[in-house]
Each structure stands twice: as C-alpha cells, then as structure tokens.
Amino acid sequence: MLDDLDRRILRHLQAEPSLSGAELAERCRSTQGVCGRRIEKMQAAGIIEGQEAVIDWTALGYAVEVSLRVTLDKTQARAFDEFTEAAREVAEVIELQTFLGRVDVRLSVLAQDMSHYQQVYRDRILTLPHIADIEALMHIARVKQDEALPI
C-alpha cells in the first residue's frame, strides 16, 4: 500500500510535523508537488488524519493530571452511551478511552491544583450517570510519550 516515498514522508512528518512543503520535499528527495500529492492521497485514504499542536499544560497552570478508571453499571441499557456523552461535556476531561474488561472507561482529567481537582471530581465527575466504581490514579511523571511508529 505504501511505497518508499510515502514511508519517508510519514517518517519526516512524525518527527517534525511543522516542516514546510519545500523542506519536506528536500528531506524526502522529491519535489514539493509530488510530496503534496502524496500527502493528499494519504489524507484521502485516512492514513494522515491531520496535524495538531502539542500543548504543555503545566506551562498554562495545569499541574494536576489524574487518570480515572471507571466501571459502569451496565444493567441500564444506555449506560455506556449516556456516560460517555455526559463525560464529553466536562471541559477538564481531555481524553476519554473505552475498554473491554473490568474497567469500561478511562478519563484523563487536568486541573490547576488539588483544590480545583477536588471541585471537578465532586461536582462534575461523581455526578456522571451510571458509575458503579471509580479508581483515581494520580500522574507522577510521563516516562514516555511518543506516537511515532517505525515506518
């Protein structure tokens, strides 16, 4: 599906997504037009979904990150849908993942400090529908964060 040029483009975009078209073409040993068409093709195929800014939340004053592992009361037919719909509305929830197994959902919650976290937890998280059990895991350090894969 991907040829050598496509893989070179993806490797360089993963490493440095802010490269200009000309810089990318030079590093991939191609022309800017060819690289642009290849990127468009990979976007149309759903391989490249977009680009994003990586924000250092601590630099903006968000010093507390907590992962909440939530088990839902699945005796209610729409428990899963109603919970995820409501959780999406909590601004401090920056990530929501679903699982098969004992834990149904993991929420990643950011807060400015412990007081702010307690307020969000009590007023916004504990009021979410269909929670059967919840476990909080306080983030201490991010040891590895890398979404790039060898291509």
Side-chain angles (χ1 to χ4, degrees):
M1 180 171 179
L2 297 179
D3 66 12
D4 187 51
L5 178 58
D6 293 330
R7 285 190 289 279
R8 282 196 310 266
I9 290 169
L10 290 174
R11 276 195 301 272
H12 288 291
L13 285 177
Q14 283 186 137
E16 199 173 344
S18 62
L19 286 173
S20 70
E23 292 169 323
L24 179 63
E26 181 180 327
R27 292 184 187 188
C28 292
R29 299 181 307 276
S30 183
T31 66
Q32 191 170 345
V34 169
C35 279
R37 285 190 294 280
R38 293 295 185 99
I39 289 170
E40 288 174 2
K41 181 180 164 188
M42 287 187 280
Q43 287 171 330
I47 295 168
I48 297 175
E49 294 181 344
Q51 291 181 303
E52 61 187 23
V54 178
I55 298 170
D56 179 356
W57 293 108
T58 57
L60 294 175
Y62 288 84
V64 174
E65 185 175 351
V66 179
S67 286
L68 298 174
R69 298 191 317 189
V70 180
T71 303
L72 298 175
D73 174 9
K74 292 177 281 296
T75 61
Q76 304 296 318
R78 294 202 18 90
F80 199 87
D81 294 334
E82 290 173 3
F83 176 85
T84 56
E85 183 179 316
R88 283 188 180 113
E89 299 299 317
V90 180
E92 292 83 1
V93 173
I94 61 163
E95 186 175 17
L96 197 152
Q97 296 177 331
T98 60
F99 298 94
L100 292 175
R102 191 181 71 75
V103 172
D104 297 307
V105 181
R106 186 188 71 82
L107 305 176
S108 185
V109 179
L110 286 180
Q112 296 166 347
D113 52 33
M114 285 306 292
S115 176
H116 181 220
Y117 171 72
Q118 283 183 325
Q119 177 190 8
V120 169
Y121 184 75
R122 289 179 182 160
D123 298 344
R124 305 290 312 275
I125 302 296
L126 290 179
T127 61
L128 293 172
H130 310 294
I131 295 175
D133 188 36
I134 190 166
E135 179 183 10
L137 302 169
M138 178 71 64
H139 284 238
I140 301 299
R142 194 167 314 286
V143 177
K144 180 180 179 182
Q145 181 176 355
D146 192 1
E147 294 189 21
L149 292 172
I151 299 174

